[in-house]
Amino acid sequence: MSQDTTHKTTGGYLHARTDRNAGNHLWPEEDGEVSVPYSIASGLEDKTGHILAALKMISKKTCIKFHHHTTEEDYLHFKPDRMCASLVGCAGGEQPILVGPKCNAGNICHEILHSLGLYHEHSRPDRDKYITILYDNIMPGKESNFKVKKGNTLGLEYDLDSILHYGDDCFSRNGNHTIIPKKKGVKIGQRTHMSVLDVERLRRLYHCDD
C-alpha cells in the first residue's frame, strides 16, 4: 500500500489494489439492498457532522445505505489521523477511513467512494483525450499516482467534474500545475458534491436500477 500524504485536496489515499476506475471488491448485497456498517472512533466528535453529511451525499442518490456497526465482521471505521485516506473496495474486517483535521464532508465523501470501489478519475485509459499530465512538475517518487491503468469505466464518459478527480496542482514539486484540462476554463479537483456521473457510476457499479 502507498499513501498520497501530500495531496492538497484530499489528503492521503491508501491503495488496496491496482488503481483502476472501478474495482471488483464490492460490499455485498443482502435482501436486495446494500447497507454498509460503519463506526466512528472517539476523537472525531468535531468531524461527526461532516462524516454523516458525506454518508448522506451517497445514500440519498444511490441504493447504498449505511448503518451503525454492531456485530458485522466487515465495516468502515472512521478514525482520526493527520490525513484523509481510504482503502479501495471492501477489504474485509475493520476497514479504516482516515479523517484528518482539514477533511470536510466532500473530502470524506471522496474517501468513502474509494471504499465502495471507485478509483481516481484521472487514471482512466482514455484520460489523455481530456487532460495533459505535466510530469516535469510532479514531485519525485509520486509519478505512479499519474499512471494510466486499465479498468472498468462502466460505459460512462470522462468526468472533469468528478469528486474523484485530482486537482490541477496535486503533487506539484514547484507550485505549478501537474494536470491541465484540455477544455478551457474547466476547474478540476472539486470536493463539494458528487457529480452527475459520480452518482451514475456508483449506481451502475452496484446495479441500483436492476
Side-chain angles (χ1 to χ4, degrees):
M1 294 188 298
S2 63
Q3 294 181 343
D4 295 353
T5 56
T6 57
H7 193 314
K8 292 186 178 180
T9 306
T10 63
Y13 175 38
L14 302 175
H15 297 276
R17 299 174 180 88
T18 303
D19 193 5
R20 299 169 295 165
N21 191 242
N24 296 319
H25 300 271
L26 306 182
W27 291 81
E29 176 185 315
E30 186 173 345
D31 298 326
E33 183 178 82
V34 178
S35 187
V36 180
Y38 74 92
S39 64
I40 302 175
S42 60
L44 285 177
E45 289 78 12
D46 63 332
K47 292 294 182 180
T48 298
H50 292 285
I51 293 170
L52 297 179
L55 294 172
K56 186 176 181 180
M57 288 171 68
I58 296 169
S59 63
K60 71 180 180 181
K61 293 186 177 181
T62 71
C63 61
I64 299 172
K65 310 304 177 187
F66 301 91
H67 66 274
H68 289 289
H69 168 253
T70 54
T71 61
E72 298 90 353
E73 180 178 352
D74 301 335
Y75 63 100
L76 298 178
H77 182 59
F78 295 92
K79 56 190 299 185
D81 199 88
R82 63 188 179 85
M83 68 182 79
C84 203
S86 175
L87 297 168
V88 178
C90 182
E94 179 184 292
Q95 181 168 332
I97 292 185
L98 307 184
V99 181
K102 296 183 179 180
C103 298
N104 60 25
N107 301 130
I108 297 169
C109 178
H110 174 112
E111 303 304 339
I112 297 171
L113 290 177
H114 283 323
S115 76
L116 294 173
L118 294 180
Y119 292 78
H120 286 135
E121 187 72 0
H122 72 276
S123 68
R124 283 175 52 135
D126 59 349
R127 66 98 183 271
D128 290 332
K129 297 179 182 178
Y130 305 95
I131 60 173
T132 299
I133 306 297
L134 303 178
Y135 289 96
D136 289 345
N137 294 334
I138 297 173
M139 295 172 60
K142 299 299 183 181
E143 296 86 355
S144 62
N145 293 286
F146 296 84
K147 287 185 177 179
V148 170
K149 306 291 184 181
K150 294 181 180 179
N152 183 6
T153 60
L154 300 167
L156 294 171
E157 63 188 73
Y158 193 88
D159 186 13
L160 292 167
D161 189 43
S162 175
I163 200 170
L164 290 168
H165 204 297
Y166 271 6
D168 56 15
D169 62 352
C170 182
F171 291 121
S172 176
R173 67 177 181 85
N174 53 20
N176 294 326
H177 289 176
T178 54
I179 303 177
I180 296 180
K182 293 190 175 182
K183 185 176 181 180
K184 302 297 184 182
V186 175
K187 177 68 175 176
I188 56 175
Q190 64 84 12
R191 297 294 181 266
T192 61
H193 63 278
M194 288 177 64
S195 71
V196 171
L197 289 177
D198 285 333
V199 172
E200 182 60 22
R201 186 169 294 110
L202 196 58
R203 292 183 67 87
R204 290 191 185 187
L205 187 61
Y206 279 88
H207 306 288
C208 288
D209 299 318
D210 291 355

